[in-house]
Amino acid sequence: MLLLKRSPKSKFMPNMYVFPGGVAADVDFSSEWIGVFDFLGRDQRQNIFDFLQRGGEGTPMFSRIREPKFSNIPSEVAFRICAIRETFEESGVLLVRDASKNRDNWWPNLWDKPSEAGFIKDQSVINEWRSKVDKDPEEFLRMCQKLKLVPDVWSLYEWSNWLTPTFEGRRFDTAFFICCVQGKPHAVEDEGETVHSQWTSPSFLLSQYKDGKANIAPPQLYESFRLIRFNISDLLKFSWHRSQYRVGRWLPVLISCADGSMMLMPGDSLYPADVKPRKCQIAGDENPVSFILTSKLVCSYAQQLEFFVKNIVELASSNQDHNQLLRSKQKYPKLISVVHRILQV
């Protein structure tokens, strides 16, 4: 997987390793993209748009009503264009298709296949347009129009949706997409927003994190535990089959304990039943007395859980049997279900 290290000067998550991506721009929703996808044929374009929405209504970032100027193309298409544009800007990896070669050939020959990232071999062309896109997001649209390229939206599979916790100063509603590519396309950090880029495996990343050699943002850490279960072919197959469904939105909630704090995820027993996405919310505020009693129980296992997670990373990195760890730690039965949940997400 491709990771980028954010600049220490970044206002959001400085020095953190993150997946490539960024904030949507107005041009990502432009009606001019209809003409770009029409390079494949009008019927094909409509089929693509319909196919990306076949799972029904998505989370609020996809389904909310937008102003007319942002409603020219489906949000499912626009946010994929955003992800492709930002990946190109930050890493130089260009996820597009040659329209002249793929006209009337996208179905069923392109769905459930790896992306052809890197098919443009002339690095000077890549560098020229990357510099333009870095200065103006609209240049990505101009590049596609001039070079007859179509953003490879059908190779991006909806993976997860994270909403920044309410206690953070800057918040983002973020869609994560999975894109499997052939080989390892040449990636170079932009030396602005990002200062280092690398292709790595989830197991290696987690081992680096365990050893204190890599700072990883919570969503990337969580998703790495999910991705460690797959090889690339199985991941592509799984993503393809799951693409008929929509993902839910995850909003981590902070829980204050007697000797620290923890982050709650949907499905955790203490996760609030009524989560307010726009209100700063700390679990237990409504009932502090019973919460204090509960938090002591939670925090009494905090160090044990940390021990388990470190050992999980070691086992995952060495491809050993996860059950070996669970069998050897029966004296912590209340943590078994937690560990199983981490491993099986």
Side-chain angles (χ1 to χ4, degrees):
M1 60 186 182
L2 178 60
L3 283 172
L4 302 171
K5 185 177 182 180
R6 294 184 62 82
S7 167
K9 299 179 181 179
S10 297
K11 295 181 180 179
F12 187 71
M13 294 186 178
N15 287 316
M16 289 281 189
Y17 276 98
V18 298
F19 302 131
V23 179
D26 290 359
V27 68
D28 299 329
F29 293 82
S30 172
S31 60
E32 292 187 57
W33 284 111
I34 294 176
V36 171
F37 284 96
D38 278 349
F39 290 155
L40 301 175
R42 291 185 179 180
D43 290 343
Q44 307 289 28
R45 180 255 298 169
Q46 190 57 51
N47 286 337
I48 293 173
F49 287 9
D50 291 343
F51 191 82
L52 293 178
Q53 301 175 85
R54 75 191 191 286
E57 185 175 281
T59 55
M61 71 173 294
F62 290 101
S63 61
R64 72 181 180 88
I65 299 176
R66 304 182 187 280
E67 298 177 40
K69 66 177 181 179
F70 297 125
S71 303
N72 298 298
I73 61 175
S75 297
E76 288 79 3
V77 177
F79 284 124
R80 282 172 168 84
I81 291 173
C82 168
I84 292 170
R85 174 181 56 77
E86 285 285 341
T87 297
F88 178 52
E89 178 184 327
E90 293 183 346
S91 70
V93 175
L94 184 56
L95 302 172
V96 295
R97 298 272 184 174
D98 185 341
S100 63
K101 293 182 179 179
N102 289 294
R103 183 179 175 87
D104 303 321
N105 190 43
W106 72 277
W107 180 273
N109 296 317
L110 295 182
W111 294 104
D112 78 352
K113 300 293 190 301
S115 176
E116 296 178 349
F119 80 88
I120 297 180
K121 304 302 182 183
D122 190 339
Q123 195 61 40
S124 64
V125 173
I126 295 291
N127 294 339
E128 176 187 355
W129 282 104
R130 184 183 179 187
S131 178
K132 291 180 179 180
V133 173
D134 182 53
K135 295 181 177 66
D136 183 0
E138 290 195 10
E139 289 296 325
F140 186 68
L141 172 60
R142 306 295 168 238
M143 177 190 71
C144 291
Q145 291 172 329
K146 184 173 182 178
L147 302 182
K148 295 291 191 292
L149 303 174
V150 178
D152 197 357
V153 294
W154 52 87
S155 290
L156 270 65
Y157 300 103
E158 196 174 306
W159 182 256
S160 60
N161 178 194
W162 288 76
L163 181 60
T164 309
T166 56
F167 58 82
E168 290 283 358
R170 303 185 70 191
R171 302 185 66 206
F172 298 92
D173 199 357
T174 306
F176 284 16
F177 298 101
I178 285 287
C179 180
C180 299
V181 298
Q182 297 176 348
K184 295 180 181 179
H186 182 60
V188 180
E189 60 276 5
D190 62 14
E191 297 183 352
E193 294 181 40
T194 60
V195 295
H196 179 66
S197 63
Q198 68 179 76
W199 288 97
T200 187
S201 65
S203 59
F204 181 77
L205 176 65
L206 292 172
S207 67
Q208 292 289 96
Y209 173 77
K210 179 182 74 72
D211 294 337
K213 297 179 180 179
N215 293 323
I216 311 173
Q220 279 77 3
L221 180 63
Y222 189 93
E223 298 298 355
S224 294
F225 272 111
R226 295 179 67 194
L227 292 170
I228 203 170
R229 302 172 54 202
F230 300 94
N231 59 42
I232 191 68
S233 60
D234 288 342
L235 177 60
L236 178 57
K237 185 183 300 183
F238 172 80
S239 301
W240 159 250
H241 285 294
R242 203 191 69 161
S243 64
Q244 61 187 302
Y245 307 104
R246 304 305 296 264
V247 302
R249 184 169 69 177
W250 280 53
L251 171 59
V253 173
L254 184 69
I255 177 172
S256 294
C257 305
D259 56 352
S261 60
M262 297 179 67
M263 198 73 73
L264 298 176
M265 299 292 185
D268 291 335
S269 59
L270 293 180
Y271 193 82
D274 181 23
V275 177
K276 302 174 178 61
R278 296 182 180 275
K279 177 183 177 182
C280 186
Q281 187 173 19
I282 298 178
D285 281 350
E286 296 81 1
N287 193 353
V289 176
S290 62
F291 169 71
I292 291 174
L293 296 175
T294 306
S295 68
K296 288 181 179 178
L297 175 63
V298 172
C299 291
S300 68
Y301 290 103
Q303 291 183 336
Q304 299 172 25
L305 180 57
E306 181 182 3
F307 169 80
F308 263 70
V309 171
K310 287 183 178 180
N311 279 273
I312 290 170
V313 172
E314 291 176 355
L315 287 173
S317 301
S318 59
N319 294 319
Q320 297 182 44
D321 181 6
H322 293 143
N323 291 325
Q324 175 185 338
L325 172 64
L326 302 182
R327 287 194 299 268
S328 64
K329 304 298 178 183
Q330 292 300 320
K331 63 179 180 179
Y332 301 127
K334 293 184 179 180
L335 288 177
I336 297 299
S337 61
V338 177
V339 176
H340 268 301
R341 183 169 175 270
I342 292 174
L343 294 174
Q344 295 176 0
V345 169

